[in-house]
Amino acid sequence: MHALYRLRLLLLTGTTAALWGCTPTPPDPMESFQLQPGFAMTLAASEPLIFDPVDMAFDEKGRAFVVEMPGYPMNDAEGKIVLLEDSDGNGQFDTRLVFADSLGVASSLMAYRGGFLVASPPDLIFLKDTDGDDRADTREIILSGFSYGNLQHNFNGLTYGLDNQIYIANGGNSGNVYWPQTPDQKLSIRGSDLRIDLENQKIELFGRTSGGFELAMDEWGNFFGTHNTEHISHIVFPGKYMEGTLPGYNLDEISDHSEGELARIYPIGKQDTRVNHPEQSGYFSGACGITYYGANAFPQAFNGNIFVADVVLNLIHRDVIHPDGPSYRASREDKEREFLASSDRSFRPVNMITGPDGALYVLDMHRKVIEHPEWIPDEIEDTLDLNAGKDAGRIYRITPEGGLPVAHPSFARNNLPEVVAHLSHPSLWYRITAQRLLVEWHDEASVPILEEFFAQTPSPQGKLHALWTMAGIQKPSVDIIIAALSDDHPEVRAAGIQLSEAYESNNEKLLKKLLSLENESQPKVVMQLLLTLSALPEAEQEKNYPVVRRIMLQHTGNPWMRMAIAVAGKNNPSRFAGDLLAEKNMPEGSTELLEMLSRQSGQMATENELLQLLKQAAQAEHSLQVSLLNGLSSGVARRDQPLTSTKQIDQYLGKLETTLPVTLASWQLRKTMSLPLPASGNKQLQQAAAIATNREAATAERVENLELMAFGPFAGREELLFSLLNTREPQALQSVAIRQLRESREKTVGPRLVEIWSELGPETRKAAGDILLYQEDNHPVLLSALETGKVQMGEMNFHLERRRELLFSEDESVRKRAKALFSDAGVFTRKEALDKMKPALSLKGNAVAGKLVFTQTCNPCHRHKGEGNEVGPELTEIYRKSGQTLMHDILDPNAAADNRYISHTVETVSGEVVSGIVMQENDDEVVLRQMNGQDRSILRRDIRTFTSTGLSLMPEGLENAMTTQQMADLLAFLQQAP
């Protein structure tokens, strides 16, 4: 190897270090970390050995290659791939060599055919060193057409799948992808991840991981993705089976520890101020680097876990995965702490990799600012150094306490039995590497060795890899697949089913074995059987219909099984739907499945098939009639060619319209098909208006009749809709009324909502605010209301994206007026008070003294660690916010008031006045929590007026009651972690 290309940093002198222009590594960067007990972490590499690492891969020799992205976030520097070596085997890298440079904004790499596939948008490229100097001298564009812009959303996550395909995470930038040999044949990938067969030049839309960074493949070939706030999702089955059938996702968000749309995580140390979404403090918002640990070198409880980093909150979270039907659930095992967390705000764990040694390698991009400038307000961006950290980078090595020996993998081309034996290695890295190499070598002499290995190994993982390795070289024999279908392990059986797709249509023996699995107990195996049967030629599907029908009636309870059934019925959904309608004992989930099937029917069925379904529906339960009609409406709206003859459909619909729920669904189908309402329609609308406004009628009946009124002209119901926004009305009725007002998009709606703003209940006011903000015609109305104080700033939940609806408007007048009210950096209604108390942020606070301040000032309305009154928000977890954010909340409570804590006043019909915050709103009552902490329930029928000031219950002016030191003490107390 040429000395010119090799740099041995252990021998660096001060002069050489100066040549790199880097600051030395801090004396002990490990002090900032809190690590799971039982584990150890060492610094495996840091600057000047490595800079801005974002991905890492080990080749079959066990050598580490790292992608550097110095151009983040401005795309102002070229990426590199560097080779790191550990010359003395102590677990720390000491040698750096640039393997390839000028890689643009490369984000990912994967070992392949003696070189690497590299995601370097707009291209997927192949790099290889052919002369042995550890410098890539071959560079070939494999695919092109990937879009790039915001570097956070470039395609990434290159992974060698168990099925020998290359998997790619979309990232979010999308693109029109093509092979360089056929540039005119482009595939729009939209929001989908990809599965690529490089040997046969085939591209499939695989799934939708929501544009995140990285994919994780488990030991059975399942894929998991992540994206910002949704930290873990499972791609339940490949998108290829859904082509031409169902709209929607095959992605299951599997966290069982989310609170609504957010999952709580536990950062440590002093927290930074969130520049865009302060409400996300302490929750996943920068999830990335999802990694499956399958090396079997950690304690058993950690093997098979999935690790997800949050690059914003400087931590790594651990999820334990459990089967849930054909999908999974991810559970938190570590209570109120994370697997790894750092108090160093520059620790940016963007990715993780399991090495051949079984260690978990953490890639720390080490940046002061990690948010992309697109999401940083300009005035805040001007105060930040976006380049801080570009001269740094860290790689950490996590092992069990006691460490792990450095690995020296061997995959000898001339020793096929030894390589095949690696297919049952305890580590997934060894297994998948051995499989990839055997497939790349494509040596038919390995097939009998693989067959013998499959027959003898007790390892289900080994059998699985052997099956797919054979498939990558030549089709496994029918006998091998039949043996897989009879295996004790469900994952092996599922793989056998999938591999049978190359045979089943012309092999009776194999097909008979396949169909015998209809009574299989494992959901994943049944799901794969349905998907595989859906891939048969249409004639074969017809022949096998009785089996699929029996499966259908046994597995409707799980949503993913229902989707697989709908996929199996894609060529004749009307038949499936008809049989479901005819079933006397309807299994659980039948209505949901029927809606799926009828949606497909509406999209592709002939008029005669639709008429037959409507005829059968006449004898079915009303709930099934509703599902059928709703599905047909959705499907007809997606037809490429509209139905030309609908007279008979009109007649059949008239026969079904005997109950209100069915009439609602039927009228929606009429609307979709441009059919007129029945002759009795006007009379029914009049009756619906009478019932909707009748307070003596049941709420559910009133809601259904109000829903029916949506099919009449808006002018005829506008007054009625506004009258139903009265807080004396059930909340369910108000929700329907405000939705119809939103859907009308009439210009009269916005001004009228402002007129009655203070009389609206919290939930209705929130929906009204969305109408004012997200319908551009209402922007002048909203701004006037904000300027006059008719609508308070805090009531509009003006987080970054909501502010930008006005600040970035195409209307110059709207932009100018909005800028006079707030900025891209936030909402500040009491800037003078904040400026006065700002020195407190620089003072050292005393938490003991701060507790006294809290007791005297905050206790009457807030609870903290079991003390105080719960009128306002519980503050025990407030420590996750920065001091600056906390001070803003304290001194400027009406800048972004939580609607739950806005003060309301109720006057009852008897003249009593009750004030407080709304703790609960339902159809029958409103519950107010008063300043003394007591709850008061008031029946809606007893309410005369229900008004709000739009202001937080928390008073302004607290800065006049404390010194800057007392504020510093209070912040120190509130920021104490449990």
Side-chain angles (χ1 to χ4, degrees):
M1 185 167 300
H2 302 301
L4 177 64
Y5 297 118
R6 178 89 40 199
L7 176 64
R8 296 194 176 280
L9 292 180
L10 285 179
L11 303 178
L12 276 177
T13 64
T15 304
T16 311
L19 184 65
W20 278 80
C22 299
T23 56
T25 302
D28 187 2
M30 310 304 292
E31 291 181 356
S32 71
F33 290 102
Q34 180 186 87
L35 180 63
Q36 178 86 29
F39 288 85
M41 185 168 78
T42 56
L43 183 62
S46 63
E47 68 276 3
L49 191 70
I50 193 72
F51 304 93
D52 309 300
V54 295
D55 198 13
M56 180 176 184
F58 291 86
D59 69 1
E60 53 267 29
K61 299 176 184 178
R63 300 182 303 167
F65 293 77
V66 182
V67 178
E68 296 181 334
M69 188 189 281
Y72 181 84
M74 305 305 295
N75 195 8
D76 54 2
E78 294 277 346
K80 297 182 180 70
I81 295 176
V82 298
L83 167 61
L84 300 182
E85 290 188 343
D86 172 10
S87 63
D88 56 8
N90 68 349
Q92 293 181 314
F93 298 111
D94 50 51
T95 302
R96 168 191 174 98
L97 176 70
V98 176
F99 175 74
D101 53 19
S102 302
L103 294 176
V105 287
S107 63
S108 181
L109 82 168
M110 188 199 88
Y112 185 73
R113 294 197 174 278
F116 291 93
L117 293 174
V118 181
S120 179
D123 303 320
L124 173 66
I125 62 177
F126 175 65
L127 300 174
K128 188 174 182 179
D129 163 32
T130 61
D131 58 12
D133 65 353
D134 289 335
R135 290 276 295 183
D137 48 56
T138 294
R139 184 180 299 220
E140 177 187 358
I141 295 177
I142 304 296
L143 273 175
S144 194
F146 292 96
S147 297
Y148 62 102
N150 184 325
L151 273 62
Q152 290 181 354
H153 298 301
N154 286 337
F155 81 104
N156 63 84
L158 297 175
T159 304
Y160 191 88
L162 200 63
D163 57 1
N164 306 306
Q165 308 294 294
I166 310 302
Y167 288 80
I168 297 175
N170 183 296
N173 282 338
S174 191
N176 295 291
V177 179
Y178 60 90
W179 304 100
Q181 300 87 341
T182 54
D184 57 333
Q185 298 176 18
K186 297 180 179 180
L187 174 67
S188 174
I189 62 176
R190 302 181 296 280
S192 293
D193 306 310
L194 302 182
R195 177 165 68 177
I196 297 176
D197 180 349
L198 291 185
E199 301 306 310
N200 298 300
Q201 292 202 337
K202 293 181 180 178
I203 307 173
E204 291 178 6
L205 303 182
F206 173 65
R208 296 172 70 99
T209 54
S210 307
F213 185 64
E214 275 303 321
L215 291 170
M217 185 186 76
D218 74 2
E219 60 187 339
W220 310 115
N222 295 294
F223 275 88
F224 301 85
T226 189
H227 180 235
N228 291 352
T229 58
E230 295 180 5
H231 77 281
I232 181 166
S233 299
H234 172 222
I235 300 175
V236 184
F237 54 77
K240 70 172 185 176
Y241 294 110
M242 300 175 66
E243 289 179 4
T245 57
L246 297 167
Y249 297 121
N250 54 349
L251 189 70
D252 187 12
E253 204 283 310
I254 64 173
S255 170
D256 69 359
H257 47 287
S258 296
E259 304 169 12
E261 297 180 356
L262 298 174
R264 180 74 167 96
I265 47 180
Y266 297 90
I268 62 173
K270 187 176 180 180
Q271 296 302 299
D272 283 339
T273 298
R274 287 297 308 265
V275 297
N276 45 30
H277 278 277
E279 78 281 359
Q280 292 179 3
S281 297
Y283 293 87
F284 263 116
S285 63
C288 60
I290 188 167
T291 301
Y292 176 82
Y293 184 79
N296 272 297
F298 282 6
Q300 186 55 40
F302 295 83
N303 199 61
N305 291 180
I306 289 181
F307 295 90
V308 186
D310 190 285
V311 74
V312 174
L313 293 184
N314 327 99
L315 56 81
I316 293 173
H317 171 77
R318 176 172 75 104
D319 277 319
V320 178
I321 307 302
H322 311 279
D324 181 22
S327 186
Y328 294 87
R329 282 293 166 263
S331 300
R332 166 182 281 282
E333 293 292 313
D334 306 313
K335 186 177 180 181
E336 297 187 357
R337 65 169 293 153
E338 302 301 337
F339 180 78
L340 174 67
S342 178
S343 59
D344 179 2
R345 297 281 77 87
S346 292
F347 172 62
R348 304 296 184 181
V350 296
N351 211 344
M352 291 164 279
I353 295 89
T354 304
D357 55 355
L360 185 68
Y361 290 82
V362 178
L363 275 60
D364 171 15
M365 203 172 184
H366 212 77
R367 292 294 186 87
K368 184 70 174 176
V369 179
I370 200 66
E371 288 273 13
H372 192 278
E374 180 181 352
W375 305 112
I376 302 176
D378 290 344
E379 58 202 275
I380 293 179
E381 185 182 331
D382 290 341
T383 69
L384 303 175
D385 181 0
L386 298 181
N387 292 313
K390 282 194 173 186
D391 57 352
R394 314 281 164 80
I395 299 176
Y396 297 95
R397 181 174 182 259
I398 299 178
T399 67
E401 284 183 341
L404 290 170
V406 174
H408 299 286
S410 173
F411 300 89
R413 175 72 176 81
N414 60 358
N415 192 343
L416 292 176
E418 181 183 78
V419 179
V420 169
H422 280 321
L423 296 177
S424 61
H425 194 282
S427 170
L428 175 58
W429 183 88
Y430 275 87
R431 297 197 303 272
I432 201 69
T433 301
Q435 176 180 328
R436 175 177 61 81
L437 292 172
L438 288 165
V439 171
E440 289 173 0
W441 295 338
H442 214 82
D443 190 339
E444 293 185 3
S446 63
V447 174
I449 303 172
L450 287 163
E451 290 177 338
E452 183 180 0
F453 174 83
F454 175 81
Q456 294 183 357
T457 181
S459 164
Q461 293 90 341
K463 290 181 180 180
L464 205 58
H465 284 278
L467 283 169
W468 285 110
T469 304
M470 285 186 270
I473 300 171
Q474 63 182 42
K475 288 195 299 187
S477 69
V478 170
D479 289 341
I480 288 286
I481 294 180
I482 288 176
L485 296 174
S486 304
D487 196 82
D488 291 338
H489 201 282
E491 292 288 353
V492 178
R493 297 198 297 276
I497 295 171
Q498 194 172 352
L499 286 165
S500 73
E501 292 176 15
Y503 287 96
E504 75 275 56
S505 63
N506 58 10
N507 190 289
E508 289 296 326
K509 180 181 177 182
L510 182 53
L511 185 58
K512 181 179 179 181
K513 180 61 180 177
L514 267 180
L515 297 178
S516 72
L517 295 174
E518 67 169 284
N519 295 316
E520 167 71 47
S521 62
Q522 292 294 323
K524 183 174 180 181
V525 180
V526 179
M527 183 180 74
Q528 185 58 58
L529 178 61
L530 287 166
L531 298 174
T532 293
L533 292 177
S534 79
L536 286 166
E538 195 167 339
E540 290 290 332
Q541 291 186 45
E542 178 68 21
K543 179 180 174 183
N544 300 323
Y545 176 74
V547 171
V548 177
R549 183 181 184 278
R550 289 193 291 271
I551 293 175
M552 174 177 71
L553 297 176
Q554 295 173 28
H555 294 279
T556 58
N558 181 279
W560 297 106
M561 293 300 293
R562 290 195 293 270
M563 187 169 284
I565 293 166
V567 168
K570 63 186 176 183
N571 289 323
N572 196 348
S574 298
R575 180 177 183 180
F576 279 68
D579 278 2
L580 203 55
L581 282 169
E583 185 62 31
K584 293 181 179 179
N585 299 313
M586 300 304 300
E588 178 188 358
S590 295
T591 54
E592 294 87 346
L593 176 57
L594 180 61
E595 186 164 338
M596 281 186 179
L597 294 168
S598 57
R599 181 169 61 202
Q600 291 173 276
S601 296
Q603 187 169 355
M604 61 186 292
T606 64
E607 183 181 359
N608 285 336
E609 289 172 332
L610 295 181
L611 287 172
Q612 180 60 30
L613 280 176
L614 293 173
K615 183 178 180 180
Q616 286 182 264
Q619 309 302 319
E621 295 178 5
H622 294 319
S623 61
L624 292 176
Q625 292 175 347
V626 171
S627 292
L628 175 75
L629 294 168
N630 285 339
L632 290 177
S633 294
S634 179
V636 168
R638 292 174 170 82
R639 291 183 76 96
D640 293 329
Q641 297 295 328
L643 293 162
T644 56
S645 175
T646 55
K647 184 176 181 180
Q648 284 186 289
I649 291 177
D650 189 337
Q651 294 172 352
Y652 273 106
L653 290 178
K655 295 177 182 178
L656 289 175
E657 293 164 353
T658 58
T659 68
L660 190 51
V662 176
T663 299
L664 271 170
S666 179
W667 283 19
Q668 182 58 52
L669 180 56
R670 287 177 179 274
K671 182 178 180 180
T672 304
M673 298 179 68
S674 300
L675 292 173
L677 295 183
S680 61
N682 288 335
K683 183 178 179 181
Q684 287 178 273
L685 288 173
Q686 292 172 3
Q687 292 172 341
I691 296 173
T693 54
N694 180 7
R695 289 182 177 173
E696 300 302 317
T699 298
E701 185 181 10
R702 295 180 69 191
V703 167
E704 286 181 336
N705 278 275
L706 184 57
E707 293 277 19
L708 193 70
M709 291 187 66
F711 295 96
F714 179 73
R717 57 190 158 94
E718 181 176 4
E719 293 302 324
L720 182 148
L721 293 174
F722 274 100
S723 72
L724 293 176
L725 299 184
N726 188 310
T727 49
R728 295 187 67 188
E729 299 290 356
Q731 184 58 47
L733 208 63
Q734 293 184 54
S735 297
V736 175
I738 195 71
R739 190 189 75 229
Q740 289 191 23
L741 290 170
R742 184 191 74 235
E743 292 171 349
S744 76
R745 301 193 72 87
E746 291 288 338
K747 293 184 178 180
T748 57
V749 170
R752 293 193 64 175
L753 288 174
V754 171
E755 286 176 19
I756 61 172
W757 183 263
S758 65
E759 302 167 23
L760 300 175
E763 290 302 315
T764 303
R765 192 182 308 120
K766 189 186 303 182
D770 287 346
I771 293 174
L772 296 174
L773 184 64
Y774 292 118
Q775 295 185 3
E776 292 181 3
D777 288 344
N778 289 324
H779 284 176
V781 177
L782 172 59
L783 289 165
S784 294
L786 291 169
E787 290 161 351
T788 61
K790 184 75 174 180
V791 174
Q792 296 295 327
M793 206 77 69
E795 296 179 284
M796 289 301 299
N797 186 25
F798 273 132
H799 60 61
L800 182 68
E801 287 85 356
R802 288 174 70 89
R803 296 196 298 274
R804 287 183 172 183
E805 288 290 324
L806 300 172
L807 291 170
F808 291 5
S809 170
E810 294 180 1
D811 186 323
E812 182 180 359
S813 172
V814 169
R815 294 197 304 271
K816 184 176 179 181
R817 294 174 68 184
K819 287 177 182 177
L821 293 169
F822 47 78
S823 73
D824 202 30
V827 179
F828 303 94
T829 65
R830 305 193 70 240
K831 189 174 185 302
E832 185 176 329
L834 291 166
D835 288 344
K836 175 184 174 182
M837 196 58 74
K838 188 175 181 179
L841 297 174
S842 302
L843 297 176
K844 181 175 178 59
N846 182 314
V848 175
K851 183 176 182 180
L852 180 60
V853 177
F854 180 87
T855 302
Q856 295 172 340
T857 308
C858 312
N859 254 14
C861 291
H862 297 282
R863 285 179 67 82
H864 186 272
K865 298 181 181 178
E867 298 181 14
N869 294 309
E870 195 172 347
V871 179
E874 161 74 47
L875 299 184
T876 298
E877 282 215 348
I878 204 72
Y879 71 91
R880 57 191 168 81
K881 292 188 176 184
S882 71
Q884 183 180 14
T885 299
L886 285 174
M887 194 169 79
H888 186 215
D889 292 344
I890 294 168
L891 300 182
D892 199 357
N894 293 303
D898 188 325
N899 280 323
R900 293 174 297 174
Y901 301 106
I902 287 176
S903 179
H904 288 76
T905 299
V906 170
E907 181 185 1
T908 68
V909 292
S910 64
E912 183 183 9
V913 176
V914 183
S915 295
I917 61 172
V918 178
M919 292 299 295
Q920 181 181 339
E921 249 194 309
N922 58 37
D923 292 339
D924 300 318
E925 65 180 354
V926 173
V927 179
L928 291 183
R929 179 158 294 172
Q930 301 170 90
M931 286 294 291
N932 60 7
Q934 299 298 309
D935 288 349
R936 176 68 186 277
S937 174
I938 304 167
L939 295 175
R940 285 192 181 274
R941 65 170 180 261
D942 293 335
I943 295 174
R944 174 177 290 159
T945 62
F946 185 14
T947 59
S948 168
T949 62
L951 299 175
S952 169
L953 195 66
M954 185 168 175
E956 294 181 347
L958 290 180
E959 72 280 1
N960 298 319
M962 65 179 77
T963 65
T964 53
Q965 182 60 56
Q966 287 174 319
M967 174 61 78
D969 295 341
L970 176 60
L971 296 178
F973 170 71
L974 293 175
Q975 288 189 295
Q976 279 186 312

